[in-house]
Amino acid sequence: MGFPCVTIDLKKIEHNTKQLVKWCSDRQIEVMAVTKGICGLEKVARTFIKGGAKKLGDSRIENIIALKQAGIPVPIYLLRIPMLSEVEDVVRWADGSLNSEVEVIKALSAAAKDFDKEHKVILMVDLGDLREGVLPENVLDTVSEIINLPNIDFEGIGTNLGCYGAVKASYDNMKSLVDLAKEIEKTFGIKVKTVSGGNSSTLMLLKEGVLPKGITQFRLGEGIILGNDPSTSKPLPDTYQDAIVLKTEVIEVKIKPSYPIGEIGLDAFGNKPVFEDKGPMRRAIVALGKQDCRIEGLIPVDKSIDILGASSDHLLLDVTKSNNIKVGSIIEFNLSYGALISLMASKYVKKYII
Ligand SMILES: *Cc1c(COP(=O)(O)O)cnc(C)c1O
């Protein structure tokens, strides 16, 4: 095994998927498993499917192309609204996409016509998080334009909350989405097949029994991979939080002062650091840095270890309370979603499936 590395436990991911698929299927909600957090790794994608996910979603077309080329059998959707410059790949490889710009959907329509394919479109509605989506008052006008486009299958509407604005999913915003779907059905006499209620931060509404009827789909990444509710950062009931773990190797252990010696200027990232003088401290350095990982999202498995900070290539730990740590020791961390996505995308971090 080389370090730093992440180990990916497929059994635990399968358990998490089955668990959340069960919550959802009890309420007739389908799960679109989101593969972006694991950079579209095929084996993990297959585990999501084994666990009961009916569809996959990813925000990067590169991951979707790799999954399709690997022969993944379920529909795959592009989650990030497409760039105009990628519509041909989107139509060629993805079965559908989330969208918010009529101009882009027109380009998808033209490309789909060229490829003689049908492309499914879920129109995103912005219910206050202020990331992607048309505002509720513009939904009907937008739908009227989409439904007449050739080679476009208007599949339904969706929303994304808890990302930019950190707006929590609630009975009220979910009900607005369901009501909009009903209005579309009434106005145009069409069936809105999919009402995509959101991401892992919507799950607890379901668990607490306050999700309105009419939501048909959840798009789940963090919940199935890390068993975490992003809106509260609390574990989801009956799931594993350690399906993916980071392992790092110690390259130095020394007793040093806790307060730097000399005049303090700016650190390697242009910040002026503040230090507390705690006297001499047993400090370990592991070979991992900000270039590999969002350090704030690391949680040492050994609770006696504290993270002091990091530069591009060095992570500094206070190991005063763990006498057994020496050069060559392996130190493990649990991960936040932010840490996970950065580690998965780093070419310096090895990935092992177990
Ligand atoms: C990433 C993403 C998701 C998945 O979010 P999680 O919080 O990881 O469940 C869902 N929808 C969209 C549009 C996304 O970009």
Side-chain angles (χ1 to χ4, degrees):
M1 199 176 252
F3 301 96
C5 68
V6 289
T7 54
I8 304 169
D9 185 331
L10 294 184
K11 285 251 151 56
K12 288 184 177 174
I13 290 182
E14 187 180 337
H15 169 92
N16 285 359
T17 313
K18 280 190 171 148
Q19 201 61 30
L20 301 188
V21 163
K22 184 171 179 333
W23 291 15
C24 291
S25 60
D26 286 350
R27 297 284 306 269
Q28 287 82 48
I29 293 171
E30 70 169 5
V31 169
M32 175 189 284
V34 174
T35 50
K36 70 184 185 213
I38 42 94
C39 281
L41 279 185
E42 181 202 344
K43 288 206 170 112
V44 184
R46 289 196 189 275
T47 304
F48 289 158
I49 297 167
K50 210 168 151 204
K54 294 282 179 281
K55 292 175 178 163
L56 298 179
D58 201 296
S59 49
R60 310 284 169 142
I61 192 67
E62 293 86 344
N63 292 345
I64 294 177
I65 294 173
L67 289 170
K68 283 286 180 184
Q69 283 176 335
I72 294 289
V74 303
I76 311 183
Y77 285 66
L78 182 66
L79 297 180
R80 184 171 64 190
I81 48 175
M83 295 184 265
L84 272 177
S85 60
E86 68 183 352
V87 291
E88 281 174 14
D89 275 341
V90 175
V91 163
R92 192 155 158 227
W93 296 101
D95 299 273
S97 54
L98 311 187
N99 284 276
S100 67
E101 290 286 355
V102 172
E103 189 185 350
V104 174
I105 304 170
K106 282 182 177 158
L108 289 167
S109 165
K113 217 168 152 206
D114 286 347
F115 287 112
D116 199 19
K117 280 187 136 184
E118 274 244 314
H119 187 75
K120 293 183 191 302
V121 163
I122 295 180
L123 178 66
M124 294 302 276
V125 184
D126 193 329
L127 294 173
D129 201 56
L130 306 185
R131 203 178 77 177
E132 76 275 49
V134 298
L135 293 171
E137 58 266 36
N138 300 326
V139 166
L140 290 180
D141 282 349
T142 311
V143 171
S144 76
E145 289 200 70
I146 302 172
I147 54 178
N148 292 318
L149 292 172
N151 299 69
I152 293 292
D153 175 13
F154 171 69
E155 184 185 326
I157 57 176
T159 195
N160 196 67
L161 293 160
C163 277
Y164 172 72
V167 171
K168 286 173 96 165
S170 65
Y171 176 85
D172 289 342
N173 51 37
M174 287 297 110
K175 185 74 170 53
S176 311
L177 193 67
V178 172
D179 288 346
L180 277 167
K182 286 187 186 141
E183 238 179 288
I184 294 169
E185 292 191 333
K186 210 170 73 200
T187 309
F188 302 105
I190 55 174
K191 178 104 188 83
V192 175
K193 284 161 278 186
T194 297
V195 182
S196 191
N199 52 37
S200 301
S201 66
T202 323
L203 274 167
M204 283 314 286
L205 286 187
L206 180 68
K207 198 68 182 166
E208 289 157 3
V210 288
L211 187 79
K213 249 195 160 69
I215 299 290
T216 71
Q217 180 185 77
F218 278 172
R219 310 178 305 270
L220 302 180
E222 184 168 350
I224 49 178
I225 301 170
L226 292 177
N228 187 47
D229 171 11
S231 70
T232 58
S233 217
K234 291 216 176 83
L236 293 165
D238 310 313
T239 58
Y240 292 106
Q241 283 69 56
D242 59 353
I244 304 187
V245 175
L246 168 69
K247 298 186 170 156
T248 61
E249 183 172 339
V250 174
I251 53 176
E252 180 186 299
V253 184
K254 291 189 192 307
I255 299 191
K256 291 187 188 178
S258 46
Y259 198 85
I261 306 144
E263 190 189 341
I264 293 175
L266 299 181
D267 69 14
F269 287 83
N271 303 310
K272 179 138 190 156
V274 197
F275 298 97
E276 189 190 340
D277 191 351
K278 296 186 191 163
M281 181 189 272
R282 226 166 140 260
R283 301 159 71 95
I285 302 178
V286 297
L288 179 91
K290 290 189 180 174
Q291 195 173 1
D292 312 298
C293 179
R294 197 181 134 78
I295 302 296
E296 299 75 24
L298 295 180
I299 308 124
V301 172
D302 177 346
K303 296 284 171 261
S304 73
I305 297 175
D306 286 320
I307 295 175
L308 294 167
S311 60
S312 333
D313 310 299
H314 302 78
L315 173 62
L316 308 172
L317 306 172
D318 176 356
V319 296
T320 308
K321 288 177 247 156
S322 345
N323 291 319
N324 52 343
I325 289 172
K326 51 185 198 298
V327 169
S329 293
I330 302 306
I331 298 193
E332 297 190 358
F333 298 88
N334 289 320
L335 307 170
S336 75
Y337 194 65
L340 174 71
I341 55 177
S342 52
L343 288 164
M344 292 301 300
S346 170
K347 70 169 181 174
Y348 304 108
V349 177
K350 296 167 184 68
K351 285 97 189 168
Y352 297 111
I353 301 231
I354 55 173

